Amino acid sequence: VFEHFSRDSFYGLMYNRMKSDNSVLQRFLEPKNDRNSMIKVTWSPQFCLLERRTNVNYINNYRVNMYDRIVTYEGPEHLSVVDSITSPTLAS
C-alpha cells in the first residue's frame, strides 16, 4: 500500500494513527523539471537496464489531486509514461 502525505496528513500519521511495524517511509524531493519521475534499475552481472517513468501531470497543477500529480510506478499506467535510459558509461 502506497500513501502520499501533505505536511498536515504526515503529522496525523506520526502522532494520531496506528502504524504497521513493517513500513518504509520515503521522502519526496521536488523534481528539477515540472513533472515527477522515478528511475528503476534492473541489474544482473550480465546487464543493466535503466527505465524512467514520468507522470503526465504537472507537479504544480493544484486542480489535479496530489496522488494523480506524483504517482509513477505505483500508480495506474495512464498517469505516467515510460522511456528507456541509455548510458555510454554503462555500456562500456
Side-chain angles (χ1 to χ4, degrees):
V1 174
F2 286 88
E3 293 184 68
H4 301 95
F5 299 102
S6 65
R7 186 179 304 258
D8 293 336
S9 61
F10 177 70
Y11 183 88
L13 169 74
M14 296 306 294
Y15 297 104
N16 301 325
R17 203 169 104 183
M18 295 294 295
K19 295 173 280 303
S20 170
D21 290 335
N22 188 15
S23 300
V24 173
L25 182 61
Q26 182 176 341
R27 181 180 176 199
F28 174 78
L29 298 175
E30 192 78 24
K32 291 183 180 179
N33 60 17
D34 52 6
R35 291 184 167 101
N36 189 38
S37 65
M38 181 178 287
I39 296 173
K40 179 173 93 171
V41 177
T42 305
W43 180 89
S44 79
Q46 288 77 31
F47 76 99
C48 182
L49 177 67
L50 284 85
E51 179 181 270
R52 176 179 36 235
R53 188 168 283 275
T54 302
N55 192 290
V56 297
N57 295 300
Y58 291 105
I59 194 84
N60 59 356
N61 182 357
Y62 298 107
R63 291 178 292 171
V64 176
N65 71 55
M66 181 173 56
Y67 176 83
D68 288 349
R69 287 182 282 142
I70 63 174
V71 294
T72 55
Y73 287 98
E74 72 277 19
E77 288 187 19
H78 72 276
L79 290 176
S80 61
V81 293
V82 64
D83 62 300
S84 295
I85 300 173
T86 57
S87 169
T89 304
L90 292 174
S92 59

